[in-house]
Amino acid sequence: MNQIIDILKNGGTILYPTDTIWGIGCDATNVEAVRKVFDIKKREKNKSFIILVESEKRLQDLVEVPEMAWEIIDLSEKPVTIVYDHPHGLPKELLAEDGSIGIRLVKDDFCKKLISKLNQPLVSTSANFSGEKSPMMFSDINPEIIRLVDYAVEDHRERVSQWQGSSVIRVWADNRIKVLRE
């Protein structure tokens, strides 16, 4: 774990098991690291990434959380990413064109520990090239992606994901919601 944290704190990128599929990650507050993830994925810069947080406090440090978002988080059995308006403390490179950001409060113990030790939110995007199928387990990851990141986490490589991704729900300050991905 300490080696992973050192890599992330020094602007590195990692492959890691999330609460859904395997992801490419970096310190979400490090602009250069975020740019590296865009390059690795060969992703258009106008397509934003989501970030993971480990605690309600960190979530509240980044965004105003509408009451409806808390209800969705509490009631969801599947991992859920919520898109919020007006985040603070995050690089513009992470934000969608409208200035919003998708954030998932993780329940997975490995992710919680990783984010807590890093003490920053973590970028999370599927460990594939843009347009390719998402990896349900480590062995599904394109070897070229593995070569391009700075470190591939050893834990949970045999685990098959229970979900192909999280639900994505847009929540506005006035508690309106829109399901973007079930």
Side-chain angles (χ1 to χ4, degrees):
M1 182 63 74
N2 291 336
Q3 181 182 6
I4 300 167
I5 299 305
D6 286 344
I7 289 166
L8 292 169
K9 284 188 175 183
N10 288 301
T13 57
I14 62 168
L15 280 176
Y16 68 108
T18 73
D19 51 345
T20 58
I21 56 178
W22 274 78
I24 301 171
C26 69
D27 174 348
T29 64
N30 184 316
V31 175
E32 287 306 313
V34 171
R35 288 181 181 141
K36 282 187 203 174
V37 175
F38 273 107
D39 290 344
I40 289 168
K41 280 193 66 81
K42 300 177 181 166
R43 186 177 181 130
E44 297 171 33
K45 302 287 191 267
N46 65 344
K47 289 189 172 188
S48 59
F49 294 131
I50 69 164
I51 62 172
L52 304 182
V53 296
E54 85 290 13
S55 68
E56 292 177 0
K57 180 188 180 321
R58 190 169 316 273
L59 177 61
Q60 291 171 306
D61 287 346
L62 296 170
V63 291
E64 278 296 315
V65 183
E67 191 56 42
M68 182 58 69
W70 288 124
E71 290 183 36
I72 292 167
I73 290 167
D74 289 342
L75 295 173
S76 181
E77 292 177 20
K78 176 182 181 180
V80 61
T81 300
I82 301 196
V83 179
Y84 300 92
D85 283 324
H86 315 298
H88 29 271
L90 294 170
K92 66 180 181 348
E93 288 81 357
L94 271 181
L95 309 182
E97 288 179 342
D98 66 359
S100 64
I101 183 80
I103 304 176
R104 186 161 72 245
L105 177 59
V106 294
K107 296 175 183 168
D108 176 79
D109 290 336
F110 177 82
C111 286
K112 278 183 165 183
K113 184 176 178 183
L114 180 61
I115 299 163
S116 179
K117 283 189 170 289
L118 178 61
N119 199 26
Q120 296 291 355
L122 196 62
V123 165
S124 182
T125 182
S126 55
N128 59 355
F129 293 116
S130 281
E132 288 185 353
K133 191 170 181 263
S134 297
M136 299 300 287
M137 59 188 297
F138 184 81
S139 61
D140 294 338
I141 300 171
N142 183 321
E144 181 69 7
I145 293 270
I146 297 168
R147 194 182 64 71
L148 291 171
V149 298
D150 296 304
Y151 185 79
V153 171
E154 299 289 333
D155 301 66
H156 307 296
R157 286 191 175 190
E158 299 305 315
R159 182 172 74 186
V160 178
S161 176
Q162 187 176 349
W163 297 282
Q164 287 191 328
S166 65
S167 297
V168 180
I169 301 174
R170 179 82 156 98
V171 179
W172 286 270
D174 62 6
N175 288 315
R176 286 178 300 130
I177 65 169
K178 180 178 182 181
V179 176
L180 303 175
R181 182 173 75 197
E182 286 193 38

